[in-house]
Amino acid sequence: MDDVRFAVLGTGGIGRRTLEVSQHKDGLTAVAACDRNGVAVDHGGLDVEELLDATEGNIASGPADDVATDGGAAAAPEGVKQHGEQAGVVASDQGRPTETPIDDVIAESDAIDAVLVALPNLEHDFIPRVAERFAEADYEGVLVDVLKRSRVIGMLDDREETLKESGITFVCGAGATPGFLTGAAALAAQSFVEVEEVEIWWGVGLKSGYEDNRGTVREDIAHLDGYDIETAREMSEAEIEELIDDHDGVLEFNDMEHADDVLLERAGICDAEDVHVGGVLDVRSDEKPTTTTVSVTGTTFDGETGTNTFQLDDVTSMEANVNGPALGYLKAGVRNNRAGHYGVFGPADLMPGF
Ligand SMILES: NC(=O)c1ccc[n+]([C@@H]2O[C@H](COP(=O)([O-])OP(=O)(O)OC[C@H]3O[C@@H](n4cnc5c(N)ncnc54)[C@H](O)[C@@H]3O)[C@@H](O)[C@H]2O)c1
């Protein structure tokens, strides 16, 4: 494949690591990146190392106001981590402040093959609305997101015609779970003619990455008993710290609303209600509190019932398991886009069919 010129929307915990991992993959050139305050564009290729150094421990992240409804820059957040005069992308020599970071990237999109959307998803239709704005600008290329919530997939499907008309290949839910593990489940299902159950159980140790992944942790908190997306969004940083203290740093989640379910159903693998996602997050240790496992139980053509299991090594980090696959799916998206396949694709659609 020829060189792929890509952009990252949202240089928070995930977006920064995507840029870093792309340095270790062939044929990927980062040409644009933005966060809530700033944008950096260089069609000859960004100096990724400089951008990462400038934003290290200095992420324009933060809680409730992370999504301006017009998709533009949100107001200065309470949770900005900052060690210089400027937060996030603006701290880089290549960055400049802007009120309209996403529109500034859209304005450059003629020369961009793929865009990785690593924006927060605390407002459900934010990412679908961002996709719509790329379509309104007649973008012809790939959009990839790493969103987690099941209900967002339908909102993307509702916009599929608009995306197709523009020539957009949208790969949704393409992180770890959903994403990597959804693809693994689709592969594990191939032994069976009927799938009864898919169990995804993940373990993440985030001590050294906690400060850089607060957006993700906040979204996960919404899955705890007694919390929802609204309450999680409105919690202050202090309230989040308190909740984490109450759990001694270890949060366990059961029956999460993770899009693995609808993504496996729309690929014809099994019913969404037969997919269960849960896991354990430890923000005080880098070691995974439990091994990440995907178990697919089904019946073979010759009547045996079995369970195929896929396990991640405990030494592979969340960042490796989100960003490696996200960039892999991005490349698969580009291959499809160049072949004229437009519309909305989930990770399981890019695996052997069922
Ligand atoms: N599928 C998976 O396995 C998986 C795993 C981890 C995280 N995620 C998802 O990745 C996303 C990002 O998580 P994170 O921990 O990196 O969050 P984060 O808060 O660290 O980063 C979000 C970034 O988006 C930027 N941003 C926010 N609003 C913006 C706006 N209006 N315009 C431009 N930029 C804006 C922020 O400045 C920040 O740079 C979340 O939606 C999370 O759910 C998915």
Side-chain angles (χ1 to χ4, degrees):
M1 188 159 43
D2 295 345
D3 196 40
V4 174
R5 300 158 302 173
F6 77 101
V8 173
L9 302 185
T11 48
I14 298 298
R16 287 184 74 257
R17 290 288 163 248
T18 309
L19 290 166
E20 186 177 354
V21 176
S22 74
Q23 305 281 86
H24 300 269
K25 295 229 175 198
D26 289 337
L28 290 172
T29 304
V31 295
C34 78
D35 62 13
R36 69 170 76 230
N37 299 327
V39 64
V41 179
D42 185 339
H43 291 292
L46 290 170
D47 180 347
V48 170
E49 221 158 288
E50 190 275 337
L51 191 72
L52 292 177
D53 282 350
T55 51
E56 179 73 48
N58 185 7
I59 287 175
S61 189
D65 51 1
D66 47 8
V67 180
T69 34
D70 64 354
E78 161 196 347
V80 165
K81 286 170 56 189
Q82 191 169 333
H83 56 53
E85 285 196 1
Q86 304 284 2
V89 167
V90 181
S92 154
D93 292 343
Q94 305 163 83
R96 61 174 175 81
T98 173
E99 297 281 306
T100 53
I102 295 172
D103 287 329
D104 293 8
V105 173
I106 291 175
E108 305 285 338
S109 61
D110 273 359
I112 296 175
D113 302 304
V115 179
L116 190 116
V117 184
L119 296 167
N121 190 206
L122 286 166
E123 215 168 81
H124 289 303
D125 62 348
F126 183 42
I127 290 172
R129 282 191 287 117
V130 167
E132 212 165 64
R133 283 157 61 197
F134 272 87
E136 279 160 12
D138 293 326
Y139 175 57
E140 293 173 45
V142 175
L143 297 174
V144 179
D145 71 43
V146 295
L147 62 80
K148 291 186 183 173
R149 299 238 158 203
S150 306
R151 69 189 88 169
V152 186
I153 307 300
M155 295 179 186
L156 287 167
D157 279 336
D158 290 345
R159 291 162 169 86
E160 183 158 38
E161 277 317 305
T162 312
L163 299 177
K164 274 186 177 165
E165 275 164 30
S166 181
I168 291 174
T169 305
F170 196 113
V171 187
C172 57
T177 167
F180 189 18
L181 304 185
T182 329
L187 197 56
Q190 300 299 317
S191 304
F192 307 120
V193 291
E194 175 109 29
V195 172
E196 283 159 29
E197 189 172 41
V198 175
E199 289 269 357
I200 294 177
W201 184 249
W202 54 261
V204 170
L206 213 52
K207 184 179 180 203
S208 53
Y210 171 56
E211 289 295 320
D212 287 345
N213 288 281
R214 285 172 175 254
T216 309
V217 174
R218 182 180 291 273
E219 283 182 39
D220 283 343
I221 284 173
H223 294 279
L224 290 174
D225 275 352
Y227 293 84
D228 61 21
I229 203 86
E230 280 73 32
T231 47
R233 203 179 155 185
E234 272 151 32
M235 286 169 83
S236 66
E237 291 290 323
E239 284 168 331
I240 292 202
E241 295 287 351
E242 199 183 313
L243 181 140
I244 288 172
D245 276 347
D246 288 348
H247 288 77
D248 290 327
V250 181
L251 304 176
E252 182 169 326
F253 306 94
N254 289 289
D255 282 322
M256 304 178 83
E257 184 199 336
H258 259 217
D260 306 83
D261 57 358
V262 289
L263 291 167
L264 287 167
E265 181 170 286
R266 76 199 280 294
I269 306 280
C270 59
D271 291 339
E273 64 189 31
D274 296 330
V275 180
H276 304 286
V277 182
V280 188
L281 170 69
D282 187 344
V283 299
R284 294 194 178 151
S285 165
D286 282 329
E287 266 178 46
K288 288 186 192 179
T290 182
T291 298
T292 298
T293 309
V294 180
S295 308
V296 180
T297 301
T299 314
T300 63
F301 78 101
D302 48 359
E304 293 293 343
T305 297
T307 300
N308 282 343
T309 305
F310 173 87
Q311 269 190 3
L312 299 188
D313 194 313
D314 287 344
V315 301
T316 60
S317 64
M318 185 270 279
E319 288 82 358
N321 293 320
V322 173
N323 296 297
L327 288 167
Y329 282 124
L330 181 146
K331 284 185 160 190
V334 171
R335 280 197 293 275
N336 274 281
N337 189 261
R338 290 181 180 167
H341 304 152
Y342 310 134
V344 179
F345 298 80
D349 298 322
L350 301 174
M351 301 302 285
F354 202 62

